[in-house]
Amino acid sequence: MACATGAARFDANGGGTALLDEPAAYPVAPEARTGPLWNALREVMDPEIPISLVDLGLIYDIRQDGGTVEVDLTFTATACPCMAFIHYDIQDRLKQEAGVDDVKVNEVWSPAWTKTRISEEGRHALRTFGVSM
Amino acid sequence: MSLEGLNSLIQSASALPDDARQALRDLILVLADSKRVLGLRYSDKMLGAPTLEAGIAASSMAQDEWGHARLTYALLGDFGDEPKALEYERPAAEYRSHPALDAAIGSWAELIAMMLVVDTTLTTQYRALVESRYVPAHNRVQKMLDEERFHFQYAAGWARRIAAVPAAREELRAALANVLAPSLLWLGDDADASAQRLVAEGLSGFDPSALRGRFLARVGPVLEDMGMGEELGVRRDGEGWSADAALDWSGWNPATRRSGGSLDEVTAARARGDKNRALRMD
């Protein structure tokens, strides 16, 4: 499974070797994840566990150009079974925002997700749900 | 060749000379098809594994392999391909999957042999891509390699366990022998022009012989631990490892990494998801 179990998998896995510098914009620092689009995605839950995509650290960037919003998204594992649902949920929620006509979701894999990207709020939610961190 | 030895990164395949671009496209398609079929073979052992946990592990690894296949097919968009067409619209004869994957897996020992040898062969080639200057591969492949560590650890653990059971040891040895030779061949021919172009352009990182050395350095210690290295013709050779297997290049097609044969249509239909095509989500 990708989302809930992905976190556990990386406990034992550690990181990989990075040959290239990580793009500076990835991920957007927690304190910069503000505004209506980030807040909207805080309402989009991971399909498997009660934690938002933002708190899980899956949203790397959000950009808006006129009515078009572009989201950079990663997953906890390359075979997340909920990929298509997550894409749909992001698009569905962002299109409810005023002025958003089109949403493009880019899957990015670098830098790779690790559990260190989970926010404090997310960690609290996971503990409440019974997932040890 | 390592990334440090090259003075420029390739951000898109369009920046490559035609022959190098074709060679890289061939390599990526071979990897994608192999991952897809490998996942299918793992999925076949979700039921009938030695334990429930082992069946769940097979399921998890099948899912991983399909995730890796999906990411690899997606890379081909950089070459002008339509990834969805490659995934869902090709007949069996056009699949370029590793030939050791043509036959279904019969037993758990056969699955472990495939995981230890075939999966590691693919990982060896993927690792060379990460160490190349082709940036799109680096950005996607590192995550796969992180996940593949578990597959190798799992395969090595099970191989040692099976080797310790007299009633099952010979079955494992035979299964390893069946997949070892085609896997060594699969890593390619140094004399092949496309392999040379991949190395010259810094796209593969290592020539085929060096890749075989890296593969053997990974698998060899496990075979040695099990006391099967000599039987399988794999042994320490100075600082590295070597294999006795004769590499027969007759009929070898470097684009498909096959000397003939093909995937069967039933398996290809499963890989394409033909029976439930209407429910596919993109």
Side-chain angles (χ1 to χ4, degrees), chain B residues 184-266:
Chain B
L184 291 168
L185 199 68
W186 185 90
L187 287 166
D189 181 3
D190 286 358
D192 173 59
S194 60
Q196 292 173 355
R197 290 296 289 135
L198 288 173
V199 174
E201 290 289 339
L203 300 171
S204 180
F206 299 87
D207 62 34
S209 288
L211 289 176
R212 267 186 288 279
R214 290 183 129 209
F215 162 76
L216 289 169
R218 187 81 167 133
V219 170
V222 180
L223 303 181
E224 185 180 61
D225 282 354
M226 297 189 299
M228 288 189 188
E230 287 294 325
E231 292 176 78
L232 294 166
V234 175
R235 58 180 58 85
R236 291 183 186 273
D237 185 4
E239 295 288 307
W241 290 77
S242 64
D244 293 341
L247 302 180
D248 180 4
W249 300 110
S250 56
W252 173 255
N253 181 341
T256 62
R257 300 201 175 205
R258 304 178 67 108
S259 299
S262 71
L263 195 63
D264 65 273
E265 195 56 61
V266 171

Side-chain angles (χ1 to χ4, degrees), chain A residues 9 13 17 76 78-79 107, chain B residues 63 70 143 146-147 149:
Chain A
R9 292 165 60 91
N13 197 21
T17 50
T76 58
T78 58
E107 288 182 13
Chain B
Q63 189 175 332
R70 174 175 170 271
K143 181 77 170 175
D146 291 344
E147 295 176 347
R149 293 181 194 177

Side-chain angles (χ1 to χ4, degrees), chain A residues 4 21-22 40 47 54 68 76 85 89 96 103 119 125:
Chain A
D21 291 335
E22 294 182 353
V54 174
T68 300
T76 58
F85 296 106
D89 289 347
Q96 295 174 32
V103 177
S119 70

Side-chain angles (χ1 to χ4, degrees), chain B residues 25-208:
Chain B
R25 189 256 183 193
D26 289 339
L27 170 61
I28 293 172
L29 182 54
V30 162
L31 285 167
D33 284 346
S34 296
K35 283 285 186 180
R36 177 57 58 87
V37 180
L38 182 63
L40 267 181
R41 297 310 184 201
Y42 286 170
S43 75
D44 287 336
K45 300 310 293 181
M46 286 157 49
L47 299 176
T51 64
L52 176 60
E53 290 87 347
I56 293 169
S59 168
S60 177
M61 286 183 284
Q63 189 175 332
D64 282 348
E65 297 304 346
W66 274 46
H68 299 173
R70 174 175 170 271
L71 286 189
T72 311
Y73 282 122
L75 271 174
L76 290 163
D78 188 34
F79 295 80
D81 286 297
E82 172 46 61
K84 295 300 178 194
L86 292 173
E87 285 189 74
Y88 302 119
E89 296 174 10
R90 288 181 301 151
E94 291 185 14
Y95 274 73
R96 301 182 179 190
S97 41
H98 190 305
L101 298 169
D102 287 354
I105 295 172
S107 68
W108 189 250
E110 289 181 21
L111 178 135
I112 294 303
M114 187 168 286
M115 193 183 299
L116 183 66
V117 172
V118 177
D119 205 354
T120 303
T121 307
L122 303 180
T123 300
T124 301
Q125 185 65 69
Y126 271 109
R127 191 171 294 283
L129 269 179
V130 164
E131 296 175 24
S132 80
R133 63 174 180 146
Y134 181 56
V135 173
H138 175 270
N139 287 344
R140 289 168 182 266
V141 171
Q142 185 59 57
K143 181 77 170 175
M144 294 184 211
L145 295 179
D146 291 344
E147 295 176 347
E148 281 294 337
R149 293 181 194 177
F150 291 103
H151 295 203
F152 182 82
Q153 290 167 6
Y154 189 78
W158 261 107
R160 292 187 179 100
R161 180 172 178 176
I162 295 170
V165 177
R169 181 181 173 88
E170 172 53 25
E171 185 177 26
L172 176 63
R173 191 208 60 77
L176 287 166
N178 279 341
V179 295
L180 187 58
S183 293
L184 291 168
L185 199 68
W186 185 90
L187 287 166
D189 181 3
D190 286 358
D192 173 59
S194 60
Q196 292 173 355
R197 290 296 289 135
L198 288 173
V199 174
E201 290 289 339
L203 300 171
S204 180
F206 299 87
D207 62 34

Side-chain angles (χ1 to χ4, degrees), chain A residues 4 23 31 43 55 58 78 91 105 107 113:
Chain A
E31 60 272 18
E43 296 176 12
D55 283 329
L58 299 183
T78 58
Q91 291 173 327
V105 180
E107 288 182 13
W113 182 91

Side-chain angles (χ1 to χ4, degrees), chain A residues 86-106:
Chain A
I86 290 173
H87 273 253
Y88 175 82
D89 289 347
I90 288 173
Q91 291 173 327
D92 184 52
R93 178 62 188 86
L94 289 180
K95 283 180 180 175
Q96 295 174 32
E97 292 297 298
V100 176
D101 303 316
D102 187 34
V103 177
K104 181 183 178 189
V105 180
N106 305 314

